[in-house]
Amino acid sequence: MSETNNLYDVIIIGGGPAGMAAGLYAGRANLKVALIERGMPGGQAATTHLIENYPGVESVDGPSLSMTMHKQAEDFGTEMITGDVEKIEDAEKKIKKVITSRGTYLTKTIILATGAEPRKLGAPGEDELRGRGVSYCATCDGAFFREKELVVVGGGDSAVEEGIYLTRHASKVTIIHRRDSLRAQKILQDRAFKNEKINFIWDTTVETIEGEGKVQKLQIKNTKTGETGEYPCDGVFIYVGMVPNTGFFSDLPILNESGYVVTNDKMQTKLPGVFAAGDGRETVLRQVVTATSDGAVAAFYAGHYVELWEEDQE
């Protein structure tokens, strides 16, 4: 492969909102840019039935917003490549190699926009009823459950905070936790305990999620007594952690203990020319709006890096 003819200014790995925003901004800056995505564009956004909290858009289904972002990036010159990225080589050098199932690509900069996925319970029925009562995002889906009875699974900050949020819509929220006490911050615990719409089931796990076309009930089990039972509900929100999609570059010294990419406010990692954006980055909020912001910032500073790279070659 000729380094002259096949060298990109920017390669973006990941086609969610962060990656597509990075592609749009890099393309508009007249950079030679490619975006590598293993599947349909949009990431988690593409699996969301309705998005109502993206500024300037009153409401839109996730797949439609994703395809609009994809077209915008493509219209401004982003080359779309479908394939699985297997490895990044020479990440510290000026010319980096992105090795995929379809070949090797050379680039001056890389933007890692690989995202993160909600950790699943692994319970039967979870995958089948996702989007039909199984959710991982109260902000995204809570409004669809007005005056319904909901279950939140988990005991950390996210579970408790999102459980409190769901009481804005639901008639009742039950937090099911496998331990006998919450792990969330005390201020969140206090708010939850004082909320008349929230009750708790302790020392309990969700064994199966059941329903005809939508969530109707859970099979639960007490972790101390082994007692099992059935719990009716209209939806279940799962908050047992997130899993960053960073496995294929876990050998690079840019991850924190949880596997998220560490960056500064310019989206730069500690490796020259390697940036990160979106849900796979160490951040406090993981929403479409924050991911697109990250992508724009990463593309902007990647462009600056390319300018310096080219000056060094003169």
Side-chain angles (χ1 to χ4, degrees), residues 100-123:
T100 79
S101 56
R102 299 188 61 177
T104 298
Y105 301 88
L106 305 180
T107 183
K108 302 168 189 174
T109 67
I110 293 172
I111 297 176
L112 300 167
T114 51
E117 298 179 354
R119 190 184 302 278
K120 295 182 178 180
L121 285 177

Side-chain angles (χ1 to χ4, degrees), residues 94 108 303-314:
K94 291 195 172 182
K108 302 168 189 174
H304 277 278
Y305 182 89
V306 169
E307 291 177 7
L308 296 174
W309 192 98
E310 292 174 345
E311 288 175 5
D312 286 345
Q313 307 308 303
E314 296 176 357

Side-chain angles (χ1 to χ4, degrees), residues 173-243:
V173 174
T174 300
I175 296 179
I176 297 179
H177 187 37
R178 61 181 179 175
R179 299 188 176 92
D180 60 4
S181 61
L182 299 172
R183 294 179 290 108
Q185 300 174 59
K186 190 174 186 305
I187 189 171
L188 294 176
Q189 294 188 39
D190 290 343
R191 290 173 185 167
F193 292 142
K194 291 176 182 177
N195 193 312
E196 294 181 354
K197 285 188 175 183
I198 296 179
N199 70 304
F200 298 85
I201 299 179
W202 305 106
D203 300 316
T204 298
T205 57
V206 173
E207 299 296 294
T208 63
I209 303 171
E210 300 176 356
E212 295 296 325
K214 62 180 181 178
V215 171
Q216 294 172 316
K217 60 185 177 181
L218 309 176
Q219 297 297 330
I220 59 177
K221 180 179 180 180
N222 187 284
T223 58
K224 292 184 176 178
T225 67
E227 182 181 357
T228 60
E230 186 174 288
Y231 194 83
C233 64
D234 299 298
V236 55
F237 287 75
I238 299 169
Y239 295 99
V240 292
M242 296 289 290
V243 181

Side-chain angles (χ1 to χ4, degrees), residues 212-284:
E212 295 296 325
K214 62 180 181 178
V215 171
Q216 294 172 316
K217 60 185 177 181
L218 309 176
Q219 297 297 330
I220 59 177
K221 180 179 180 180
N222 187 284
T223 58
K224 292 184 176 178
T225 67
E227 182 181 357
T228 60
E230 186 174 288
Y231 194 83
C233 64
D234 299 298
V236 55
F237 287 75
I238 299 169
Y239 295 99
V240 292
M242 296 289 290
V243 181
N245 297 318
T246 55
F248 69 87
F249 58 88
S250 59
D251 57 322
L252 300 182
I254 57 175
L255 307 181
N256 65 14
E257 293 180 355
S258 300
Y260 290 96
V261 184
V262 179
T263 73
N264 59 18
D265 59 359
K266 297 178 180 179
M267 306 300 140
Q268 296 169 320
T269 71
K270 66 189 293 185
L271 296 178
V274 179
F275 301 79
D279 289 4
R281 187 176 75 86
E282 184 180 61
T283 183
V284 296

Side-chain angles (χ1 to χ4, degrees), residues 48-50 131 134-145 166 169 237:
T48 303
H49 175 63
L50 193 65
V134 173
S135 178
Y136 304 86
C137 179
T139 308
C140 306
D141 300 328
F144 299 110
F145 295 91
L166 286 170
H169 306 290
F237 287 75

Side-chain angles (χ1 to χ4, degrees), residues 290-308:
T290 54
T292 54
S293 173
D294 281 1
V297 173
F300 178 79
Y301 283 104
H304 277 278
Y305 182 89
V306 169
E307 291 177 7
L308 296 174

